[in-house]
Amino acid sequence: MQSKNEMRMWFDARSVNEGFARVAVASFVAEMNPTLDEISDIKTAVSEAVTNAIIHGYERPEDKVLLSCVIEGDTVEIVVEDTGRGIPDIEKAMEPFYTTKPELERSGMGFSFMEAFMDDVQVSSAVGKGTSVRMRKKIGVQEG
Amino acid sequence: MPHGRRSGMENIMEKYCELKDGYLLVHVPRELDHHRAGGLRMEADLLIDAYQVRKVVFDFSGTEFMDSSGIGVIIGRSRNMGYCGGEVMARNLNERIRKIFMVSGLHKIVKTEGGMAGNTNRMEKNHAE
């Protein structure tokens, strides 16, 4: 039987919530019996997506980041959304080491990390409307 | 000021960093993300400037989580050290931090010790054969 479980939450675009978001997702997926490595992969990817929304999507900390998570069978899908600035050129934004904020010492590796640690990453964005990052990962494919 | 109270400046300082003989030791926090990166960077740079530090060692023995924001901090210090002929090292990397180093390519720019040896080196060696 396919099990399904879903959650949604939103929170202020404050950096303190980056840790909260990844821990919340890690707790939610715990029922899938992921390995420690899989949990860490998911936490890293969530942290990258949420940090992007906070740094690049928004300017005001009162703006809200929306995070939703769906478990279907052995796959988890995580969506991180903002209604902020939007990305003019997604392909460019996803290039390794590309950053629009070098003054903040951003490494430009956010999307590379999401792609390295999740099975699939889809980004949709509209300038002035916001950005949505959809990530999927199958749990239980690693050995041990 | 009452005895035993530290000034605001002192509270900012000496949280993550420790001046050793000849280098600055950075105790990387349990979780290094964008939220923590700013404070760590500020503290390290203040000490690097004030004491003309030429070698920075990041110690990961207490670190469980790091994302690309942490990579930014290390690359930034590494670049600054490079300008003045200094160096940056990383030590005591657990399996997770090692993975982050490998995925980001950081292991190619920053020397590592204590935790980066063993399996990883063997794998690289095998790969080269």
Side-chain angles (χ1 to χ4, degrees):
Chain A
M1 200 182 76
Q2 282 254 322
S3 63
K4 191 171 172 176
N5 196 14
E6 186 172 355
M7 72 95 158
R8 285 167 86 79
M9 60 186 211
W10 53 258
F11 48 86
D12 279 4
R14 297 175 199 276
S15 66
V16 68
N17 287 332
E18 293 155 6
F20 163 69
R22 61 179 178 259
V23 169
V25 173
S27 309
F28 184 71
V29 301
E31 61 145 326
M32 301 173 82
N33 290 321
T35 62
L36 276 178
D37 208 35
E38 286 167 336
I39 284 271
S40 297
D41 287 353
I42 290 170
K43 281 170 82 175
T44 308
V46 168
S47 197
E48 300 296 347
V50 169
T51 301
N52 275 352
I54 291 174
I55 295 179
H56 301 286
Y58 291 130
E59 272 157 14
R60 303 179 316 148
E62 312 83 64
D63 287 326
K64 309 298 182 209
V65 180
L66 181 69
L67 192 154
S68 62
C69 204
V70 181
I71 296 169
E72 228 175 329
D74 57 3
T75 302
V76 59
E77 183 180 85
I78 300 158
V79 182
V80 176
E81 284 170 274
D82 67 67
T83 53
R85 231 169 292 165
I87 305 170
D89 186 342
I90 295 175
E91 214 174 301
K92 186 117 194 135
M94 291 182 81
E95 276 175 19
F97 307 112
Y98 177 80
T99 180
T100 53
K101 294 202 185 273
E103 74 281 7
L104 293 183
E105 277 191 353
R106 306 303 307 158
S107 64
M109 300 218 62
F111 280 119
S112 305
F113 271 29
M114 289 180 234
E115 287 179 320
F117 296 128
M118 302 295 278
D119 297 336
D120 182 51
V121 178
Q122 301 292 333
V123 183
S124 56
S125 188
V127 173
K129 290 192 172 157
T131 299
S132 161
V133 177
R134 185 176 300 266
M135 307 183 280
R136 291 165 65 86
K137 189 176 181 69
K138 197 169 170 176
I139 300 300
V141 285
Q142 292 174 351
E143 285 173 38
Chain B
M1 183 185 284
H3 290 293
R5 282 284 299 268
R6 309 180 96 200
S7 70
M9 191 61 182
E10 281 169 327
N11 278 336
I12 296 170
M13 305 287 283
E14 293 172 32
K15 214 167 142 195
Y16 305 108
C17 302
E18 200 182 328
L19 272 165
K20 295 281 195 184
D21 189 21
Y23 66 98
L24 182 72
L25 178 62
V26 181
H27 300 279
V28 181
R30 195 169 62 87
E31 308 215 315
L32 180 53
D33 58 3
H34 160 243
H35 181 59
R36 290 259 172 267
L40 190 147
R41 180 169 53 228
M42 193 169 65
E43 190 190 319
D45 284 353
L46 272 169
L47 290 165
I48 289 168
D49 283 351
Y51 295 93
Q52 297 178 355
V53 172
R54 292 291 171 267
K55 183 177 175 182
V56 180
V57 178
F58 288 91
D59 188 316
F60 287 89
S61 47
T63 309
E64 293 164 13
F65 179 89
M66 181 170 79
D67 63 14
S68 70
S69 302
I71 302 290
V73 173
I74 298 168
I75 292 179
R77 305 290 78 62
S78 184
R79 191 186 299 134
N80 294 351
M81 282 294 113
Y83 290 145
C84 61
E87 65 169 331
V88 167
M89 292 187 64
R91 66 163 72 133
N92 299 324
L93 283 68
N94 66 26
E95 210 176 308
R96 181 65 202 176
I97 304 301
R98 201 181 308 152
K99 187 172 178 180
I100 296 289
F101 267 62
M102 299 298 278
V103 169
S104 62
L106 201 58
H107 64 294
K108 291 177 191 158
I109 2 180
V110 173
K111 249 192 274 175
T112 56
E113 57 176 35
M116 200 71 184
N119 286 340
T120 314
N121 284 347
R122 264 204 306 279
M123 270 166 60
E124 280 172 354
K125 202 177 160 194
N126 288 342
H127 191 70
E129 276 164 4

